[in-house]
Amino acid sequence: MQHTLDAILTSARAEFAADVPLPSRAEFEAAKARYVGPNGQLTAQMKKMGSVPKEERPALGKLINQTKLDVQQLLDAALARIEAGELRASLGPPIDPTLPAPDIGPGSYHPLSAVREELSRILRKVGFTVADGPEVETEYYCFDALNTPADHPARDTQDTFYLPSSVRFANVPKKTEHEHYLLRTHTSSVQIRTMLKGQPPIRIVSPGRVYRRDTTDATHSANFQQLECLYVDKNVTIADLKALLDYLFESLLGKDTKTRFRPHYFSYTEPSFEVDLSARHLPKVNKEWIEIGGCGMVDPAVFADVGYDPEVWSGYAFGMGIERLAMLLYGIDDIRYFYQNDLRFLRQFA
Ligand code: DAH
């Protein structure tokens, strides 16, 4: 039996030696069965143990076990090499990282960024500078300082995303301990931040993201972008406001664009208006008037709150949605296209 066991080990070594070409997985499985399967050579030797004289059994048993271990080790090593080969095959040919990258062409502005930048550029030409404010705001800047009463529906948790009271933002200090952090619902908060930082005259444009608890559909998104304008000086009139809006929309959408004011209510302006646009020359515009934003003359209460004398200073403010304007300009009928990052959509604006 010892000879047979030696012969089995020798043949297994020859079959699975590292320098012998690897068998296929099927060949490997067949070979494995030949050695250690239920009808394999080693199993046959073990079955013979019963007829071995008692005194020879311990030594022979040890030898069989050792041979089994050795053969199993050879099988394991071969299987590992076969698996490594299969993995290499599934990974495809090796990559040469020194080759130049495939030419995917230059990127381009997202349509919302393009419109946002264009609006800021148009306004910079007439003396506005870009101002910024945090997207996580406090109730003071988003509502209180804008003269918005505590029971105004915009403050409702159904309209506004509030943050848990346990959160703290070191770089957005609260004015009072009991006020809440929220995601700003409009960029009008930047008006207050700007006025508190300096003295008139002020002429700022502030584009940025805003958040509302809206259910997403073709014309609503819980996160969208606005652009806010504030002008504070002596003797500012509604005529100045109207002239600026006409200049802005004509520059962006073309000379045939018209604006109209409809009386409205905003707590931070008095009088207040909604702004409508007429732009029939644009493709896909089939309505005469399209609501585009809100505006008005800064309310004296807002000036008083930031420490400006309302008897000396006057000003106008307006705010509008950037998505709405981009949809008009490009003839897009679903706001969700802006956020899907579908290259087939984005490449049209390259
Ligand atoms: N904050 C308003 C909104 O989000 C828009 C707005 C209206 C901004 C009147 C203004 C304003 O500056 O004066 O709907």
Side-chain angles (χ1 to χ4, degrees):
M1 186 184 286
Q2 193 166 345
H3 282 306
T4 320
L5 289 171
D6 281 349
I8 292 172
L9 189 55
T10 312
S11 113
R13 278 197 181 123
E15 197 165 357
F16 298 116
D19 54 351
V20 172
L22 271 182
S24 71
R25 192 179 266 264
E27 287 163 354
F28 170 79
E29 292 300 338
K32 182 176 165 186
R34 240 188 301 118
Y35 289 108
V36 295
N39 299 316
Q41 298 167 16
L42 273 171
T43 323
Q45 294 306 307
M46 283 173 79
K47 281 179 190 157
K48 280 192 195 151
M49 281 294 281
S51 51
V52 167
K54 217 173 174 182
E55 58 283 5
E56 288 179 28
R57 270 188 217 163
L60 261 182
K62 230 177 133 182
L63 190 61
I64 289 189
N65 279 337
Q66 190 54 52
T67 311
K68 245 185 113 174
L69 276 176
D70 292 346
V71 169
Q72 193 57 51
Q73 237 173 37
L74 287 166
L75 289 169
D76 289 346
L79 182 60
R81 284 196 293 144
I82 290 171
E83 282 175 344
E86 285 171 350
L87 180 65
R88 266 197 306 278
S90 75
L91 290 176
I95 293 165
D96 180 354
T98 63
L99 286 175
D103 186 5
I104 53 164
S108 59
Y109 272 111
H110 189 281
L112 291 178
S113 305
V115 170
R116 190 183 61 225
E117 292 309 310
E118 180 62 8
L119 287 165
S120 299
R121 194 188 64 83
I122 294 167
L123 288 162
R124 273 201 300 264
K125 273 166 74 173
V126 288
F128 286 81
T129 52
V130 175
D132 205 7
E135 290 171 27
V136 172
E137 258 303 358
T138 66
E139 285 181 282
Y140 174 75
Y141 292 101
C142 201
F143 297 128
D144 295 298
L146 287 161
N147 201 27
T148 308
D151 59 354
H152 193 280
R155 294 201 185 209
D156 216 307
T157 48
Q158 273 160 15
D159 291 313
T160 304
F161 288 109
Y162 286 95
L163 277 81
S165 45
S166 53
V167 211
R168 286 279 174 283
F169 293 91
N171 51 350
V172 187
K174 287 186 188 182
K175 206 144 163 139
T176 58
E177 195 39 44
H178 59 264
E179 66 173 325
H180 297 99
Y181 283 116
L182 45 79
L183 298 182
R184 67 179 178 187
T185 56
H186 53 185
T187 41
S188 304
S189 50
V190 185
Q191 289 186 25
I192 305 301
R193 289 193 170 270
T194 308
M195 287 193 278
L196 284 175
K197 254 187 252 164
Q199 289 299 311
I202 282 176
R203 208 177 254 167
I204 55 126
V205 50
S206 186
R209 288 180 188 284
V210 300
Y211 303 82
R212 289 182 194 176
R213 281 181 172 261
D214 265 331
T215 307
T216 306
D217 62 20
T219 53
H220 294 85
S221 163
N223 163 216
F224 59 102
Q225 298 189 41
Q226 281 191 336
L227 178 128
E228 189 85 11
C229 262
L230 173 70
Y231 175 41
V232 182
D233 208 332
K234 288 180 178 151
N235 307 316
V236 180
T237 68
I238 296 179
D240 297 326
L241 170 59
K242 180 76 163 58
L244 184 83
L245 286 172
D246 284 346
Y247 158 73
L248 179 62
F249 292 124
E250 280 177 26
S251 306
L252 184 77
L253 305 175
K255 277 274 167 231
D256 295 330
T257 313
K258 289 183 179 50
T259 58
R260 110 182 149 178
F261 285 3
R262 263 182 303 107
H264 197 74
Y265 172 78
F266 295 105
S267 56
Y268 28 100
T269 39
E270 180 59 35
S272 302
F273 310 96
E274 280 196 318
V275 186
D276 293 341
L277 268 185
S278 168
R280 294 299 288 261
H281 57 285
L282 293 176
K284 297 209 187 165
V285 170
N286 44 24
K287 272 204 303 195
E288 179 62 46
W289 293 104
I290 299 143
E291 186 204 319
I292 200 70
C295 69
M297 304 306 291
V298 180
D299 195 300
V302 174
F303 279 149
D305 212 81
V306 296
Y308 291 1
D309 184 350
E311 298 299 326
V312 178
W313 302 107
S314 49
Y316 63 66
F318 72 86
M320 61 188 187
I322 292 180
E323 276 82 348
R324 171 81 62 92
L325 210 49
M327 288 167 84
L328 256 182
L329 181 62
Y330 297 124
I332 296 165
D333 53 16
D334 194 321
I335 198 171
R336 290 169 288 198
Y337 285 125
F338 289 130
Y339 315 120
Q340 286 162 348
N341 284 335
D342 185 334
L343 287 178
R344 291 168 302 179
F345 172 75
L346 295 175
R347 284 206 174 109
Q348 298 176 60
F349 306 93

